[in-house]
Amino acid sequence: MKKILSLVLILVLTVTMLCACDSSEQQDSDTEKKTLTMGTNAEFPPYEYRDGNEIVGIDVEITQAIAKKLDMELKIEDMKFDAIVPAIVSGKVDIGVAGMTVTEERKENVDFTDSYATGVQAIIVKEDSKIKTADDLLKKGANVKVGVQLGTTGDIYCTDDLKANESGTVEEYDKGADAVQALVNGKIDCVVIDKEPAKSFVAENEGLKILDTEYLVEDYAIAVAKDNTELKTQINDALKELIKDGTVQQIIDKYIKAE
Ligand code: GLN
């Protein structure tokens, strides 16, 4: 009798457990999180870069914090920088987070959230370079060769300015690191690129320095499709909270040490 009782008990327990599992699975799929797909170019330390197979950095952590607030699952799509805006327009990704500068030209195709960081266009030269200031790039007949990352503001401004001043030519590279390599190899005279990645490229290569004069100061923001005002509002609300409670600054400080 005892044996039968315990057998029944075990059976009842097992069935209960199975049911419990089943229903929790059911619940999981009912409340499956929406994904937030972020397009980025993981060649831009410390904002986004690869650490082994993982994509990490300031933009990744800020967007993760935003996704958490919106109860969404973050997915990252790595692509060329100049493919990000088209990917937002075509709906391949929901947002672009890539140390992306707010520009009037980009605003014709995408909307921007509030800014979450400041960027600076810096100039990298060899330590013994004749180029001493930003003005040296804009003197008629200077014949400077400036390396930039394709499609970035450094590319856009230098292409316009050097042409207008007849002071030299621009060489476009897919990655900032490739432009810096060309500088090391003497193929170009300088690289114009955002200051934080510039610092990490200079740290990785002997004989380079960043000029004290800056080319331009800019705002970084998250790009969203023009017809997705709902997502833009949600992200702005989340950003406001994350800026107010110090999360954004904490993330920036983790990657950028005060000078
Ligand atoms: N801030 C620059 C731009 O928006 C560069 C960004 C990047 O290379 N990821 O064009």
Side-chain angles (χ1 to χ4, degrees), residues 36-40 59 63 66 81 84-89 93-103 106-107 109-116 219-228 231-232 235-236 239:
L36 179 66
T37 310
M38 146 183 176
T40 197
D59 285 341
T63 314
I66 291 170
F81 183 76
I84 299 173
V85 167
I88 298 166
V89 173
V93 300
D94 301 310
I95 52 175
V97 199
M100 195 184 283
T101 305
V102 179
T103 70
R106 288 176 186 156
K107 274 192 200 166
N109 297 307
V110 288
D111 274 352
F112 283 99
T113 65
D114 298 335
S115 177
Y116 61 90
D219 283 327
Y220 289 169
I222 298 172
V224 188
K226 277 200 168 291
D227 57 4
N228 206 347
L231 182 62
K232 189 175 96 177
I235 292 177
N236 272 337
L239 249 184

Side-chain angles (χ1 to χ4, degrees), residues 40-45 47-48 59 81-82 84 97-103 106 112 119-121 149-157 174 176 193-194 197 218-221:
T40 197
N41 172 239
E43 301 287 346
F44 200 69
Y47 292 93
E48 42 270 330
D59 285 341
F81 183 76
D82 70 336
I84 299 173
V97 199
M100 195 184 283
T101 305
V102 179
T103 70
R106 288 176 186 156
F112 283 99
V120 170
Q121 290 300 312
Q149 187 186 350
L150 179 70
T152 61
T153 47
D155 182 8
I156 296 160
Y157 300 138
D174 277 347
I193 197 164
D194 301 51
E218 321 175 299
D219 283 327
Y220 289 169

Side-chain angles (χ1 to χ4, degrees), residues 43-89:
E43 301 287 346
F44 200 69
Y47 292 93
E48 42 270 330
Y49 57 99
R50 283 183 186 271
D51 185 3
N53 269 334
E54 215 191 339
I55 297 174
V56 297
I58 294 172
D59 285 341
V60 177
E61 288 201 29
I62 289 177
T63 314
Q64 241 150 16
I66 291 170
K68 199 172 159 203
K69 279 221 182 275
L70 304 186
D71 198 27
M72 291 171 101
E73 189 90 46
L74 180 66
K75 200 177 140 209
I76 303 179
E77 291 271 353
D78 190 14
M79 58 188 75
K80 283 187 184 173
F81 183 76
D82 70 336
I84 299 173
V85 167
I88 298 166
V89 173

